[in-house]
Amino acid sequence: MTTALRAEVRKLTTTQVWVWMIVLAVGLTLLVTALTSAFTEPDAGGEPLEAALNAATSFGYVIAAVLGVIGVTGEYRHLTVTPTFLSVPRRGTVIGAKIALYFATGLLLGLLCMGAAIAVGVPWMSARGIDVDLGAESTMRIIIGGIITVAIFGIIGVGVGALIRNQVAAVVGLIIYLFLIEGILSAIPRVQEAYPYLPGGAAAGLIRTDDPNVQSPVDLLEPWQGGVLLLAYGLIFAIVGSLLTVRRDVT
Amino acid sequence: MVDQPGRIVVAGLSKSFGEVRAVDNLSFTVEPGSVTGFLGPNGAGKTTTLRMLLGLVTPTSGTATIGGIPYPAIPHPMRTVGAVLEASSFHPGRTARNHIRVYATASGIPESRADEVLAQVGLTDAARRKAKTFSLGMRQRLGLAFALLGDPRVLLLDEPANGLDPEGIRWLRGFLRSLADEGRTVLVSSHLLTEVQQSADRVVILSQGRLVREGSMDELASSAGETVVVRSPQADALGAALTTAGGSVSGAGEPGLLRVSGLEARAVGHAAFTAGVELHELRSEKADLEKLFFQLTQPQFAAGQHGGPPPGGPPPGVVPGPLPTQTPGGVR
């Protein structure tokens, strides 16, 4: 398992995709934080720093999931799945190593996004006279919950990639689901009651904010419940993918 | 049977992809210390068989073992078996050296081996280039470097000569020969007999997923059969005499010219002399291996009418078609 994990680390770090993905997530976080800092009126109320941290989490978890998806589907796309399974014939070990790696990658990505939002947002907002309190309970909850969310989405990405081996289908499907489908579902009466239990809803529970401007249409889960549910989604996708898809013939 | 290290045993192996029976009750053995040509036209089931040997494809029935063990159960598989499958199994943005080092890490082989195997296949100068810049011939060499990483006793190579230039093919032949001379088992597939004719000691020939011939290169050459061509103004009388002598006689394309198989030139001359038939020409023709290979792998011969039935295969004369699945021994 440790050799398989070390090989996965080497796979990730010997191509450029991870660098560009981190640049993209941190860049988008900086952009949103800068816009929020520059244009929020000091006496508008609400929690602009929490809004920026929320945005950082969203960019982070989408990119973490995409990295996880690429980590699995890239093997099929570039046919490296052949040498991978020749060097580690136990396929579950390969998927397990990828889960560990992309959880860690998500952790790093979450830290970078949060760090970027705090490093730019806190001084800028303070300078404009906006009341920011980094130590507030709800702010701390978003920072820690957000980092955990991003990390768990790395696992979800591996799971989705294992289920849907086609890279384009998996990446596009994932993004459409996270950005469109869950938003639509959460707006439909009755159906929206399921939203807290969907992956995006579970993530929203994990990083719930007290900002009255960011209101969910339904009651979200408690942060710890959201976290456990999110992790369960990631692991179930990965296990089902391993049992159904990854075991198939490599031709 | 003693499970000798490095011996490849395929027993009653079958694989169906939906309706298509890609490999059909295939059995053969590959002995260590030899280069074995694994031959058949495209679609004969060579790649599927190699992938079953490597645990990448699960057989529908039958077994494929290396040293008596299925590949996924071998403790350090890359140190026992090296394989080259498709020519482009790498990330285009990763350098050749990093590609090899990834799999060295995965199989617990020291990283320093990466530079050694790249040197062995002549890729030292290109080691730090991204794989996407490689020509097809260089990709084949990179695949070979991956196969050699664990210094394996057994090498399975699927069409390694594809994309190599004549110089590369010559190099590959010598390379495979030297690996076999070190006592390794080398199984190399090709759709061209001529490609392995000079380097292979033995051949396993497939057609439509079935074994049509297994044996040494020499046996194949002798079964291609020397034929004797004979010209006589009394062809009818000569034909009768030769048939009586045990030969099998056919026309050779022009009046008075006969092609005889089953008799040596000496025996043909003797039969003509005894029958008092005048001869104008008597010569023997060398076996045409390529032609024999072509005949063996024609669909209508796939059931094994030529050269006897394959072991475990259908009896001679059985029309090729759907056969009852039978797995003599080694049922999973």
Side-chain angles (χ1 to χ4, degrees), chain B residues 23-327:
Chain B
V23 175
D24 193 355
N25 196 15
L26 180 63
S27 301
F28 66 88
T29 307
V30 178
E31 297 297 335
S34 67
V35 177
T36 299
F38 192 39
L39 302 171
N42 293 329
K46 306 185 297 291
T47 299
T48 303
T49 302
L50 292 176
R51 285 185 173 271
M52 285 193 279
L53 265 167
L54 292 163
L56 295 169
V57 167
T58 309
T60 305
S61 60
T63 57
T65 57
I66 297 166
I69 309 170
Y71 184 88
I74 298 174
H76 292 285
M78 296 260 292
R79 293 173 194 240
T80 307
V81 185
V84 182
L85 294 168
E86 63 269 314
S88 292
S89 298
F90 38 72
H91 192 290
R94 193 174 285 137
T95 65
R97 187 162 181 258
N98 279 332
H99 172 77
I100 298 295
R101 286 165 67 152
V102 163
Y103 300 105
T105 307
S107 36
I109 293 165
E111 276 177 21
S112 54
R113 261 305 275 174
D115 294 330
E116 285 174 32
V117 292
L118 286 169
Q120 222 175 332
V121 300
L123 281 180
T124 300
D125 292 340
R128 285 161 202 273
R129 271 169 56 188
K130 288 181 179 175
K132 66 183 169 192
T133 67
F134 278 22
S135 67
L136 187 51
M138 291 167 87
R139 289 166 193 224
Q140 288 286 20
R141 286 169 186 254
L142 182 55
L144 206 52
F146 165 76
L148 294 170
L149 194 53
D151 195 18
R153 186 194 293 274
V154 179
L155 279 154
L156 306 179
L157 313 169
D158 196 13
E159 304 267 0
N162 267 4
L164 291 184
D165 52 21
E167 168 62 28
I169 289 177
R170 218 168 69 94
W171 169 83
L172 181 68
R173 273 189 200 132
F175 195 65
L176 296 184
R177 189 69 259 161
S178 67
L179 292 170
D181 290 344
E182 292 165 19
R184 299 176 211 259
T185 314
V186 181
L187 182 64
V188 51
S189 85
S190 176
H191 59 280
L192 294 171
L193 176 64
T194 44
E195 217 169 66
V196 300
Q197 199 170 340
Q198 293 171 42
S199 50
D201 311 295
R202 295 178 60 80
V203 286
V204 172
I205 303 178
L206 293 192
S207 176
Q208 297 192 320
R210 295 181 198 161
L211 185 72
V212 291
R213 184 62 71 86
E214 178 185 13
S216 72
M217 210 69 202
D218 292 341
E219 284 166 20
L220 187 71
S222 66
S223 77
E226 272 191 346
T227 57
V228 177
V229 176
V230 59
R231 188 189 298 273
S232 167
Q234 300 150 270
D236 290 345
L238 178 61
L242 291 174
T243 307
T244 311
S248 134
V249 182
S250 59
E254 42 183 295
L257 199 65
L258 299 176
R259 182 180 296 278
V260 187
S261 57
L263 290 178
E264 289 176 30
R266 194 168 48 85
V268 171
H270 181 74
F273 177 75
T274 315
V277 174
E278 178 182 346
L279 292 187
H280 290 174
E281 187 181 344
L282 175 64
R283 63 188 154 89
S284 56
E285 277 192 353
K286 277 278 176 200
D288 185 345
L289 277 180
E290 196 60 30
K291 192 172 161 194
L292 173 73
F293 175 59
F294 184 70
Q295 284 176 351
L296 282 172
T297 56
Q298 286 299 292
Q300 65 266 35
F301 292 98
Q305 287 100 322
H306 265 236
V318 169
V319 181
L323 287 167
T325 313
Q326 27 171 258
T327 48

Side-chain angles (χ1 to χ4, degrees), chain A residues 1-11 87-88 90 92-94 96-98 100-101, chain B residues 101-102 104-109:
Chain A
M1 184 72 191
T2 48
T3 53
L5 179 57
R6 282 174 50 224
E8 291 300 328
V9 171
R10 178 151 255 168
K11 276 181 202 170
S87 54
V88 184
R90 293 184 57 172
T93 304
V94 173
K98 286 184 190 290
L101 171 65
Chain B
R101 286 165 67 152
V102 163
T105 307
S107 36
I109 293 165

Side-chain angles (χ1 to χ4, degrees), chain A residues 11-82:
Chain A
K11 276 181 202 170
L12 182 66
T13 54
T14 49
T15 65
Q16 274 85 52
V17 64
W18 69 288
V19 178
W20 292 114
M21 287 293 171
I22 286 177
V23 166
L24 182 63
V26 172
L28 287 169
T29 298
L30 289 175
L31 180 70
V32 169
T33 307
L35 292 175
T36 309
S37 306
F39 297 122
T40 302
E41 294 303 326
D43 49 2
E47 299 285 348
L49 179 63
E50 291 188 8
L53 292 172
N54 243 315
T57 304
S58 300
F59 294 134
Y61 78 59
V62 171
I63 296 296
V66 168
L67 272 172
V69 166
I70 292 175
V72 180
T73 57
E75 297 264 14
Y76 289 95
R77 182 174 176 194
H78 302 299
L79 305 176
T80 48
V81 66
T82 296

